Amino acid sequence: MHCGFVALIGAPNAGKSTLLNKMAGAKLSIVSPKAQTTRMRILGIVMRQQTQILLMDTPGIFKPKRKLDEAMVAAAWTGAVDADITLLLIDANLGLTDENRDIINHLKENSRRIWLVFNKIDKINPQKLLPLTQEITSILSIEKSFMVSAKTGSGVDDLLDALAESLPKSPWLYPEDDLTNLPDRLLAAELVREQIFMQTHEEVPYSVTAETESFKERPDGSVRIDVTIYVLRANHKAIIIGEKGQKIRMIGERARKELNHLLDRSCHLFLIVKERKGWDGESARLKAIGLED
């Protein structure tokens, strides 16, 4: 038996959540085209041969501007420090950006076993990555390098096999049929937030949080879920609700379909939107979305 933690570290939109979902074979971490979608560490549990691979999706690392940002970046770096192996994920199309350079310099000082993973190779000639690999390895000690496409799955099996062979001998920490340690009520809130990212304008998602206020089993086996959406400004509330409530209905319907599939039962989802100025600086709100103050 082998078991160990593997942290996915990288800049926003490097594809960490997409890679986690592909490796786990299930949608555990929400995904959108917009940067900074992931706000907390999410654990994906993957069984490979006799190895339990504990994958930690982390928020993208960027320069924080507010308390929420600071908590997100701190969660990412804590994941890297705690991991047996850190996967440095880099968007192959973007190469060595300033954000990636900052991450590499930080990893040089603080981490142990680091594997380099180039993502989105389906959009680039792999030969162009050789000089980039050489530049990174001249700065940072890299144990292994991989080229993958989290979207298509290319190279993902090779990465999983290598992780299974490289993690330490240890008893499994979770039942082998578990996929994540994420509570269902937190998963519900995250799926609502994902739909807000997908359905609203650029400035709105970053001013929004979602919290599950109630998660009640019903006699027929279904579940009633009540989620409150907090926004910073009144105009954001109006955007999320939409004309005659059309937008909030769409958000609820799509989130409910995802929940039905993931929880494998009928879900009755009820949403309410509230304006709450300064929620992104409140310790209670940060804790509710899985972050430390």
Side-chain angles (χ1 to χ4, degrees):
M1 285 176 129
H2 292 248
C3 181
F5 287 91
V6 178
L8 281 66
I9 293 291
N13 261 12
K16 298 179 296 298
S17 297
T18 303
L19 181 58
L20 171 76
N21 293 340
K22 180 65 72 173
M23 295 168 88
K27 185 175 182 178
L28 303 179
S29 192
I30 66 172
V31 176
S32 88
K34 301 182 176 80
Q36 301 167 29
T37 303
T38 301
R39 284 181 175 167
M40 61 181 176
R41 283 180 295 173
I42 294 174
L43 183 71
I45 303 167
V46 177
M47 298 303 305
R48 196 77 170 183
Q49 302 164 19
Q50 290 299 306
T51 301
Q52 188 173 75
I53 306 171
L54 305 176
L55 297 164
M56 291 185 291
D57 185 17
T58 65
I61 297 171
F62 59 102
K63 291 182 179 179
K65 297 180 180 179
R66 52 183 177 163
K67 196 170 184 178
L68 171 63
D69 299 343
E70 292 171 355
M72 289 165 57
V73 173
W77 284 126
T78 302
V81 171
D82 292 344
D84 295 285
I85 296 174
T86 297
L87 302 183
L88 171 58
L89 209 65
I90 290 181
D91 184 335
N93 295 292
L94 298 180
L96 205 51
T97 62
D98 289 341
E99 284 181 327
N100 285 327
R101 289 183 187 277
D102 289 342
I103 294 169
I104 288 169
N105 288 330
H106 195 286
L107 285 173
K108 184 169 60 175
E109 299 174 1
N110 295 280
S111 283
R112 294 163 290 180
R113 302 176 66 187
I114 303 169
W115 293 9
L116 177 62
V117 181
F118 286 112
N119 188 27
K120 306 182 185 181
I121 60 162
D122 51 311
K123 299 179 180 180
I124 193 172
N125 184 342
Q127 291 182 347
K128 294 182 179 179
L129 296 177
L130 181 58
L132 183 58
T133 303
Q134 291 173 338
E135 184 176 1
I136 293 173
T137 54
S138 69
I139 305 170
L140 184 65
S141 178
I142 299 293
E143 188 174 304
K144 295 184 179 183
S145 297
F146 296 85
M147 298 182 186
V148 307
S149 169
K151 184 177 181 179
T152 68
S154 175
V156 172
D157 281 335
D158 291 340
L159 176 57
L160 283 170
D161 287 339
L163 288 170
E165 295 170 359
S166 302
L167 289 173
K169 289 183 178 180
S170 168
W172 297 337
L173 299 182
Y174 295 90
E176 60 180 300
D177 57 348
D178 279 6
L179 285 175
T180 184
N181 67 344
L182 193 68
D184 290 345
R185 60 186 300 122
L186 196 52
L187 180 63
E190 281 290 277
L191 289 174
V192 169
R193 194 169 63 85
E194 177 184 47
Q195 287 305 317
I196 294 171
F197 264 83
M198 301 299 290
Q199 305 301 329
T200 60
H201 303 307
E202 187 70 31
E203 78 278 6
V204 175
Y206 304 104
S207 302
V208 169
T209 188
E211 294 181 25
T212 300
E213 305 289 351
S214 176
F215 193 99
K216 293 182 178 178
E217 308 280 347
R218 292 164 49 125
D220 62 359
S222 65
V223 61
R224 175 185 170 122
I225 307 169
D226 293 89
V227 174
T228 298
I229 299 167
Y230 291 108
V231 299
L232 290 173
R233 302 181 183 91
N235 67 315
H236 289 168
K237 179 178 178 179
I239 291 171
I240 290 174
I241 292 174
E243 186 177 356
K244 297 181 180 180
Q246 184 177 11
K247 185 73 70 176
I248 193 69
R249 280 197 298 272
M250 181 184 296
I251 290 168
E253 287 171 3
R254 296 192 177 186
R256 189 185 70 250
K257 287 180 181 178
E258 291 279 1
L259 277 166
N260 288 344
H261 175 70
L262 283 173
L263 302 184
D264 197 25
R265 56 175 162 169
S266 180
C267 298
H268 307 277
L269 180 63
F270 297 86
L271 306 179
I272 186 170
V273 187
K274 294 182 179 181
E275 181 187 356
R276 191 181 184 102
K277 294 180 180 179
W279 71 258
D280 54 349
E282 295 179 13
S283 298
R285 301 284 76 76
L286 299 181
K287 186 176 180 181
I289 60 175
L291 292 171
E292 296 294 333
D293 188 350

